Amino acid sequence: MGRKRIKPGKVRLTEVAALAGVSPITVSRFFRNPDTVSAGRRLRIESAAKDLGYVPNLAARALASQRTEVIGVLIPSLTNNVFSDVLRGIYDAFEGSRYSIQLANTRYSVLQEERLLRLFLMQKPAGLIVTGVDQTAEGRAIVQAADCPVVQIMELGTDPIDMMIGFSHVDACSAAISHLLAQGCRRIGFLGARMDPRVQRRLQGYQNAMKEASLFDPRLIVTTAVPTSTTMGGSLFSDLLLKAPDLDAVFCANDDLALGVLFECQRRHIAVPEQIAIVGFNDMEFMASAVPTLTSVRTNRYEMGLRAATMVMDEIEGREVTQRVVDLGFEVIERQSSTLSRAATAGPAPGERASGTKW
Amino acid sequence: MGRKRIKPGKVRLTEVAALAGVSPITVSRFFRNPDTVSAGRRLRIESAAKDLGYVPNLAARALASQRTEVIGVLIPSLTNNVFSDVLRGIYDAFEGSRYSIQLANTRYSVLQEERLLRLFLMQKPAGLIVTGVDQTAEGRAIVQAADCPVVQIMELGTDPIDMMIGFSHVDACSAAISHLLAQGCRRIGFLGARMDPRVQRRLQGYQNAMKEASLFDPRLIVTTAVPTSTTMGGSLFSDLLLKAPDLDAVFCANDDLALGVLFECQRRHIAVPEQIAIVGFNDMEFMASAVPTLTSVRTNRYEMGLRAATMVMDEIEGREVTQRVVDLGFEVIERQSSTLSRAATAGPAPGERASGTKW
DNA sequence: AGCAATATTGACAGCGCTATCACGCAGTTG
DNA sequence: CAACTGCGTGATAGCGCTGTCAATATTGCT
């Protein structure tokens, strides 16, 4: 036979219904859609629920209704501040809504991502937000099987699973390099850490821009698979100086590296931007406050999270999402670290600043 | 009568059982405890499940078993890097375990915290990790009603709900001030932003230390309710200079502020540490890389998350947790920004450095 | 071989909630 | 006055899984 009897202290919908003198289904309706219950019963149910300290059982609700109000969110890293901004947007958007967020961390691994997607599936999520466009075929299949709205964030791509919001890392980086070229820089280094797909694309943008200007030189590129950090910025920069002593600018694939480069320049008494210009990526808050202030590429991370979440909600709730692929763009914020006053007057003069070692 | 018939494509335990030629309960066991099923059936079930693409239904499992494998985690902020380190520890600890994390953000509001705890209750979490010790009475009651292991993190207190892991913010700050006093600093400022309970306690530690040294002066304290940022560090420091022009050191309630102070000093050509010593709090990665390197109070945030998570798991799984209140301590990491060479030889000399405005 | 101890397996009855359909009752409508 | 509409309500039958306990197969031991 079955299991042991119901625990006496347990408060279920039924208990509330009994106390309020209505049927359980009415109480159920009250909790999901108070308007559909008449005012009199509404009050009785409300007070009964409060008296008994009733708490709805989400598992039972999910099982009976065959759906949940869980949004799965997959990001590659918790440490990377970039994602905390995106997350803040996501959490803000769902704030006060009935949805709750299930966050998981892929650690930049597509296999891990696959595993986590499989886990999400068991929850029958109402929506999914995933990072990037580089899911495995298997991963895409799993997402598709979830049969719910999906938004890919952080990047743009030609083949969205469902919806997509991001910007072009290639173009953003090219724009930063163009800015440096316009300032008269010629020996522009590239520093990258972690080298996840997005950083790879920034590197691609760098290469495109440098090749187009006929200034490409592989010795100008220093990268590492190690995660980014300020200290790493300093080390990579030191390596770069060894490989390319005639450097006149550094593009850093993110702002932590840029800060590390700035510190290393201070340490070596290299004048910024006079001897070396610095440009970062993401425009973290501290960039505007450094001495000199640091140029960076602003990316709309908070807005990305916010809008991704809104797109998911709209889709779930049947509101038509017309713009299913959103390019949020970027902006090169020019600050002291890359602004060479002479550039404004003389304009870029090829070779002008590439005059060998300057320290 | 009931509802419409079962959708044909749906794969349940029953379908897998039928294909494998065993009873549903055996399949259930296979998924939860493969060892309890004989090898032969194990293989048959495994291949049947794979063939059908079976995905367990967590809601049904939770309902039937009356428990979940969800750990609720409540933190005040996603933006504050301090918490991302803690979170990393938590996520790492649960990595590969059967538990999943439900993260929510209280935004430094105890009412919000209460609301979120109530939401967590509906999920019947297997464990709870909450930040700080300042829950409302109502909040504590809700947590208690959850009837699961609870760990309070980030702080220590005399009245733990269940388990607790953290360190004394009062002592940590006092230690930092003592260090500055030992360096001969006398006019030590305090900069704080956000002023959440933990920052308040650091302020308390500052006051204790300064009063004990008979050096307390309210003009040395500048705080704001606004969230912390590097830029804010610069502004607060500027305010402080106006109120106390004879300043010889600044303790910053966190490292972002300290970085802002450093930049502001560079901007004003104030020598660090000769004219003004700087000490931060948390020992973020960039502190060691700044020029000069910045002194800070190291707090073991990653370990805190890791161990909090481990404590919850141990408790859930019936392993006895003997140390239910863990003091993780702290360490003042002395770096260039607060190391006055003369202090080592001459020792602290009262009034020596408090010789009025120096810039 | 005989029997107890152990390892596997299965039948049954829910877990607490909601989808579905049915129904009563006011207010309309022709 | 019958037929119709629509709201508010309720009865019923599961949603897909697992706890419980009984039944059966296997093993070890005398």
Side-chain angles (χ1 to χ4, degrees):
Chain A
M1 64 222 63
R3 62 190 62 189
K4 70 161 168 260
R5 294 293 84 204
I6 299 156
K7 286 171 233 155
K10 191 168 283 184
V11 182
R12 307 191 314 271
L13 216 46
T14 317
E15 275 70 35
V16 178
L19 182 59
V22 299
S23 77
I25 189 71
T26 304
V27 180
S28 169
R29 278 196 265 262
F30 166 78
F31 280 104
R32 288 175 297 155
N33 244 319
D35 317 333
T36 60
V37 176
S38 64
R41 287 168 202 244
R42 205 147 56 205
L43 290 172
R44 297 221 307 282
I45 295 171
E46 190 159 23
S47 87
K50 182 160 279 176
D51 286 359
L52 296 172
Y54 171 70
V55 176
N57 181 323
L58 279 191
R61 178 178 289 181
L63 179 58
S65 69
Q66 298 282 67
R67 57 197 162 69
T68 65
E69 281 157 1
V70 173
I71 311 291
V73 177
L74 233 42
I75 56 166
S77 161
L78 285 167
T79 325
N80 192 329
N81 300 320
V82 168
F83 295 107
S84 58
D85 289 331
V86 178
L87 269 186
R88 201 159 42 83
I90 295 176
Y91 273 83
D92 280 2
F94 286 122
E95 178 76 33
S97 81
R98 58 224 181 87
Y99 301 98
S100 70
I101 301 163
Q102 184 73 48
L103 175 69
N105 173 0
T106 65
R107 298 148 180 272
Y108 292 100
S109 148
V110 285
L111 280 104
Q112 185 75 345
E113 184 176 49
E114 235 180 81
R115 199 180 67 81
L116 290 167
L117 284 171
R118 236 184 290 273
L119 272 175
F120 277 168
L121 253 195
M122 314 199 336
Q123 312 209 26
K124 299 191 176 298
L128 237 32
I129 297 178
V130 301
T131 301
V133 297
D134 302 283
Q135 292 78 20
T136 58
E138 174 77 5
R140 284 180 83 101
I142 298 171
V143 169
Q144 242 117 35
D147 190 35
C148 64
V150 182
V151 183
Q152 289 165 287
I153 60 170
M154 297 305 295
E155 292 186 64
L156 296 178
T158 49
D159 182 24
I161 298 175
D162 180 10
M163 293 176 284
M164 192 175 254
I165 182 164
F167 63 94
S168 163
H169 291 253
V170 175
D171 294 352
C173 181
S174 291
I177 302 303
S178 296
H179 159 67
L180 284 170
L181 291 171
Q183 298 294 312
C185 300
R186 288 298 169 265
R187 297 289 289 167
I188 304 170
F190 179 97
L191 260 36
R194 174 82 73 179
M195 301 316 287
D196 64 71
R198 284 158 295 285
V199 176
Q200 300 275 13
R201 288 189 183 99
R202 286 172 217 160
L203 176 54
Q204 190 57 55
Y206 165 85
Q207 290 176 335
N208 294 352
M210 292 297 276
K211 282 179 180 156
E212 193 172 315
S214 306
L215 292 168
F216 181 73
D217 177 354
R219 283 170 300 184
L220 289 166
I221 298 173
V222 177
T223 65
T224 173
V226 169
T228 181
S229 70
T230 308
T231 308
M232 183 52 68
S235 328
L236 292 177
F237 179 59
S238 301
D239 291 355
L240 179 59
L241 283 180
L242 291 176
K243 290 174 69 182
D246 58 341
L247 201 69
D248 60 12
V250 192
F251 171 82
C252 304
N254 68 54
D255 289 340
D256 290 344
L257 296 180
L259 184 61
V261 171
L262 174 62
F263 287 143
E264 190 61 33
C265 285
Q266 291 179 356
R267 212 167 275 123
R268 292 172 182 249
H269 304 290
I270 297 172
V272 177
E274 293 75 12
Q275 289 176 284
I276 293 208
I278 302 176
V279 172
F281 197 95
N282 277 327
D283 197 29
M284 295 284 175
E285 189 267 333
F286 61 78
M287 297 296 272
S289 141
V291 180
T293 55
L294 294 165
T295 297
S296 195
V297 181
R298 176 174 297 162
T299 56
N300 307 298
R301 301 181 297 284
Y302 177 82
E303 195 192 347
M304 183 150 40
L306 200 72
R307 291 191 56 180
T310 309
M311 285 160 83
V312 171
M313 273 194 285
D314 283 352
E315 187 82 358
I316 294 171
E317 290 164 11
R319 289 185 292 275
E320 200 179 350
V321 178
T322 48
Q323 211 185 338
R324 303 186 71 84
V325 175
V326 179
D327 184 349
L328 241 32
F330 55 84
E331 188 185 355
V332 179
I333 308 292
E334 303 183 9
R335 299 208 182 87
Q336 295 164 354
S337 71
S338 69
T339 312
L340 298 157
S341 50
R342 117 194 78 164
T345 55
E352 179 192 14
R353 304 188 64 251
S355 47
T357 312
K358 283 166 296 184
W359 48 88
Chain B
M1 65 223 63
R3 62 190 60 191
K4 70 162 169 261
R5 294 294 82 202
I6 298 157
K7 285 170 234 156
K10 192 169 282 183
V11 182
R12 308 192 313 273
L13 215 46
T14 317
E15 275 70 33
V16 178
L19 183 58
V22 299
S23 75
I25 189 71
T26 302
V27 180
S28 169
R29 278 196 267 263
F30 166 79
F31 279 105
R32 289 175 297 156
N33 244 317
D35 315 333
T36 61
V37 176
S38 63
R41 287 168 200 243
R42 204 147 58 206
L43 290 171
R44 297 221 307 284
I45 295 172
E46 190 157 24
S47 86
K50 180 159 280 176
D51 286 0
L52 296 171
Y54 171 70
V55 176
N57 181 323
L58 278 193
R61 178 180 289 181
L63 180 59
S65 67
Q66 298 281 67
R67 57 199 165 66
T68 63
E69 282 159 358
V70 173
I71 311 291
V73 177
L74 233 43
I75 57 166
S77 161
L78 286 167
T79 325
N80 192 329
N81 299 323
V82 168
F83 295 107
S84 58
D85 289 332
V86 178
L87 270 185
R88 202 161 40 86
I90 295 176
Y91 273 84
D92 279 2
F94 286 120
E95 178 76 33
S97 79
R98 59 223 179 87
Y99 301 99
S100 70
I101 300 164
Q102 184 72 49
L103 175 69
N105 172 0
T106 66
R107 297 148 182 269
Y108 292 101
S109 149
V110 284
L111 280 104
Q112 186 75 346
E113 184 176 50
E114 235 180 82
R115 198 180 70 79
L116 291 167
L117 284 171
R118 235 185 291 273
L119 273 174
F120 277 169
L121 255 196
M122 313 199 336
Q123 311 210 27
K124 300 192 175 298
L128 238 31
I129 296 179
V130 301
T131 301
V133 297
D134 302 283
Q135 292 77 21
T136 58
E138 175 77 5
R140 283 180 83 99
I142 298 171
V143 170
Q144 242 117 34
D147 192 35
C148 65
V150 181
V151 184
Q152 290 164 286
I153 60 170
M154 297 304 294
E155 291 186 65
L156 296 177
T158 49
D159 182 25
I161 298 175
D162 180 9
M163 294 177 284
M164 193 174 255
I165 183 163
F167 63 94
S168 163
H169 290 254
V170 175
D171 294 352
C173 182
S174 291
I177 303 303
S178 297
H179 159 67
L180 283 170
L181 290 171
Q183 298 294 313
C185 301
R186 288 299 170 264
R187 297 289 289 166
I188 305 169
F190 179 98
L191 259 36
R194 173 82 72 178
M195 300 316 286
D196 64 72
R198 285 158 294 284
V199 176
Q200 300 274 11
R201 289 191 181 96
R202 286 173 217 160
L203 176 53
Q204 190 57 56
Y206 165 84
Q207 290 176 335
N208 293 352
M210 290 299 273
K211 281 179 180 157
E212 194 173 312
S214 305
L215 291 169
F216 181 72
D217 176 353
R219 283 170 301 183
L220 290 166
I221 299 172
V222 177
T223 64
T224 175
V226 169
T228 183
S229 70
T230 309
T231 309
M232 182 53 67
S235 326
L236 292 177
F237 179 60
S238 300
D239 292 353
L240 179 59
L241 283 179
L242 290 176
K243 289 175 69 182
D246 58 341
L247 201 68
D248 60 13
V250 193
F251 171 82
C252 304
N254 68 55
D255 289 340
D256 290 344
L257 296 180
L259 184 61
V261 171
L262 174 63
F263 287 143
E264 190 60 34
C265 286
Q266 291 180 355
R267 214 166 274 123
R268 290 171 184 250
H269 304 292
I270 297 172
V272 178
E274 293 75 11
Q275 289 174 285
I276 292 207
I278 302 176
V279 173
F281 197 95
N282 277 326
D283 197 29
M284 295 284 175
E285 188 267 333
F286 60 78
M287 297 297 272
S289 139
V291 180
T293 57
L294 293 165
T295 297
S296 194
V297 181
R298 174 174 300 162
T299 57
N300 307 298
R301 301 181 298 284
Y302 177 81
E303 195 192 347
M304 183 150 40
L306 200 71
R307 291 191 55 181
T310 310
M311 286 161 82
V312 171
M313 272 194 285
D314 283 351
E315 187 82 0
I316 294 171
E317 290 165 11
R319 290 184 292 277
E320 199 177 351
V321 178
T322 48
Q323 212 185 338
R324 304 185 71 83
V325 175
V326 180
D327 185 349
L328 241 31
F330 55 84
E331 188 184 356
V332 178
I333 308 293
E334 303 182 9
R335 297 206 183 88
Q336 296 165 351
S337 72
S338 69
T339 311
L340 299 156
S341 51
R342 120 195 74 168
T345 54
E352 181 192 16
R353 304 188 64 252
S355 47
T357 313
K358 286 166 293 186
W359 49 90

